[in-house]
Amino acid sequence: MKSKLHTLVGSIGATIGLLVFLAYIPQIISNLQGDKSQPWQPLIAGISCFIWVLYGLTNEPKRDYILIVPNTLGVILGILTFITSL
């Protein structure tokens, strides 16, 4: 029961994490259209996500894909948002 609850909570957290990082897409589009925004929050978010990806990859005894998947998207979109906002 505890393992199922852990998996459920992790899956909900991963889904919410994906939604948080997908929310960067309108900002990227706006940046590309010339409406630049501040670059620092997405850069720091991308760095934070990168650390969580490393943590998930090095987790023992097995990799933690509930952390790896949404945070990989966070790295990509966070860095892309940073670049387009310059």
Side-chain angles (χ1 to χ4, degrees):
M1 178 66 176
K2 186 177 178 182
S3 176
K4 288 182 182 183
L5 179 62
H6 180 74
T7 301
L8 175 65
V9 171
S11 297
I12 291 169
T15 301
I16 291 170
L18 286 169
L19 294 174
V20 165
F21 300 120
L22 287 173
Y24 277 134
I25 293 174
Q27 185 176 348
I28 293 168
I29 292 168
S30 182
N31 288 340
L32 292 173
Q33 292 174 343
D35 299 324
K36 303 294 184 184
S37 61
Q38 63 80 25
W40 305 115
Q41 190 278 335
L43 175 64
I44 300 304
I47 293 168
S48 173
C49 290
F50 180 71
I51 299 300
W52 282 111
V53 168
L54 290 178
Y55 177 83
L57 288 171
T58 59
N59 193 39
E60 293 294 332
K62 63 180 185 170
R63 293 181 172 158
D64 192 342
Y65 290 103
I66 287 178
L67 283 175
I68 295 168
V69 171
N71 284 294
T72 298
L73 183 63
V75 170
I76 294 166
L77 292 176
I79 299 303
L80 186 59
T81 305
F82 169 75
I83 291 168
T84 61
S85 67
L86 295 177

